[in-house]
Amino acid sequence: MPGPYDARRVQDFRISFARRQAGEVREVPGGFLVLHAGYARSHEHNQLHIVGPADPEGLPALADEVMAFLPHRRITVHDEALGLLCVPALERAGYSHMTEVLMVHTGPVPEATAADVVERELGPDPHGPLRRAVTAQQRRWMPDADERTVHDLVERRTARRAGAEEVLFLAAHDDSGEVASWADLYLEPAAGIAQIEEVATAEPYLRRGHADAVLTAALRRAAAAGCGLRFLVADQDDWPLHWYGRRGFTAIGRTHAFSRFSGP
C-alpha cells in the first residue's frame, strides 16, 4: 500500500512539473511563482506555489505583491497541514478554497478495452479533432468566457509538453472518428512515476464508457513505461473522486488551492 514516501514523490513530481512547463519562474519566500505570457488566462500557468515554511497571515499580502500585474490570484499550498492553516486568512482576503486529493492507483492494471484509444496532438490544424473537441467542451463549461480565455485553456497543453520526460494526449473516438473523451498522461520513467490528468468526456458522449477506455489506456501505457507509481488529482468535493475510487485509486494526501478573481 502507498505510504508517506509515495506522497512525497507525488508532491515532488507536481512541483517539478510546474517549474518545467513554466515560461518563467520567480523564487519567493516559501515557494515560487510560475508565469507564462503565452497563456495569461491559464491560472495553472500563472500562480504562486507554496512549498516551504510560510506565514499564513502574510500570504495574501505576498500574493498581492508578486502577482500585482495579474488580474487574478491563484495559490497552491503543497503541504497539507500548512494549507489548512492558510484557509482562514485567505478566505478573509476573499479567496475561494478547494481541496485537491492526491490519489494513487493501487488496483491491478486493467485489461485493455475494445475501444480505440490513440495518442493525439493538438497539431497545427485549427480544426483538428482533439482541438475541436476540447474547445467545444471548454465552451460548454464556460459559456461566458471570451475567446482569449478559451484559447489559453485549450492551447496550454502545448506548454505541458515540457513538464515531464514524455507527455501524451490520449483520445477515444466514436464510430465516425470524432474525439469523445481525452486525457493527459505525464510519464517520468526514470523516476518510475506517472500522472494522469484532465480525464474528460464531451457532453454528447457521456455514460458510454469512453472515459473508462481512456483511463485504462493511460494506466496501461504508464505501467508499460515502468511507472509503478501512477497518480492523479481530484477535487475533494466533486463526483469524479468517487468514480476514481471505484477504479482502483486510493487517496494518499491533499493539497490546497486558493483562487481570487479580480478581473476577466
Side-chain angles (χ1 to χ4, degrees):
M1 292 296 291
Y5 176 64
D6 292 314
R8 182 69 259 171
R9 289 174 65 199
V10 166
Q11 294 283 33
D12 288 347
F13 177 89
R14 296 188 73 206
I15 291 166
S16 172
F17 193 91
R19 286 181 172 275
R20 289 165 66 174
Q21 68 169 326
E24 180 185 355
V25 178
R26 299 181 185 178
E27 305 301 326
V28 303
F32 59 96
L33 176 70
V34 295
L35 299 168
H36 204 305
Y39 310 100
R41 301 291 180 86
S42 171
H43 295 186
E44 171 192 354
H45 292 91
N46 298 273
Q47 67 165 309
L48 181 60
H49 291 268
I50 299 300
V51 299
D55 171 23
E57 294 296 329
L59 202 51
L62 173 65
D64 283 343
E65 176 185 353
V66 302
M67 304 178 75
F69 52 92
L70 294 172
H72 70 269
R73 302 288 182 268
R74 168 80 177 192
I75 306 169
T76 295
V77 182
H78 289 271
D79 180 83
E80 183 172 357
L82 177 60
L84 284 173
L85 292 175
C86 291
V87 173
L90 286 168
E91 287 189 338
R92 284 197 303 271
Y95 284 79
S96 61
H97 169 228
M98 180 180 74
T99 302
E100 301 174 322
V101 182
L102 311 178
M103 305 187 78
V104 168
H105 189 250
T106 56
V109 177
E111 296 293 328
T113 68
D116 178 30
V117 178
V118 301
E119 297 166 18
R120 279 283 189 186
E121 297 287 345
L122 287 181
D125 181 1
H127 305 293
L130 180 57
R131 180 182 279 103
R132 185 168 61 244
V134 175
T135 300
Q137 187 58 42
Q138 193 67 55
R139 288 184 174 131
R140 294 186 190 101
W141 286 329
M142 302 176 66
D144 297 326
D146 60 26
E147 286 303 307
R148 175 61 190 276
T149 298
V150 172
H151 170 276
D152 286 4
L153 296 181
V154 172
E155 301 299 327
R156 64 185 177 181
R157 285 161 180 78
T158 303
R160 291 176 183 161
R161 284 212 154 278
E165 183 177 334
E166 188 175 2
V167 175
L168 304 177
F169 305 127
L170 305 179
H173 304 78
D174 68 3
D175 293 338
S176 69
E178 289 297 311
V179 172
S181 188
W182 57 89
D184 295 2
L185 176 60
Y186 313 139
L187 300 166
E188 202 70 32
I193 188 169
Q195 179 181 3
I196 301 166
E197 182 61 30
E198 288 204 11
V199 179
T201 300
E203 286 183 14
Y205 300 99
L206 293 173
R207 291 179 290 277
R208 300 187 192 178
H210 294 295
D212 266 310
V214 170
L215 182 63
T216 293
L219 289 168
R220 291 180 62 80
R221 280 168 167 79
C227 298
L229 181 57
R230 301 176 289 275
F231 79 96
L232 51 78
V233 182
D235 182 345
Q236 180 170 276
D237 299 320
D238 207 357
W239 67 264
L241 179 76
H242 308 289
W243 188 84
Y244 291 126
R246 294 193 299 271
R247 285 154 179 82
F249 285 86
T250 301
I252 62 166
R254 287 165 175 77
T255 58
H256 297 270
F258 303 88
S259 297
R260 193 183 78 203
F261 300 91
S262 54

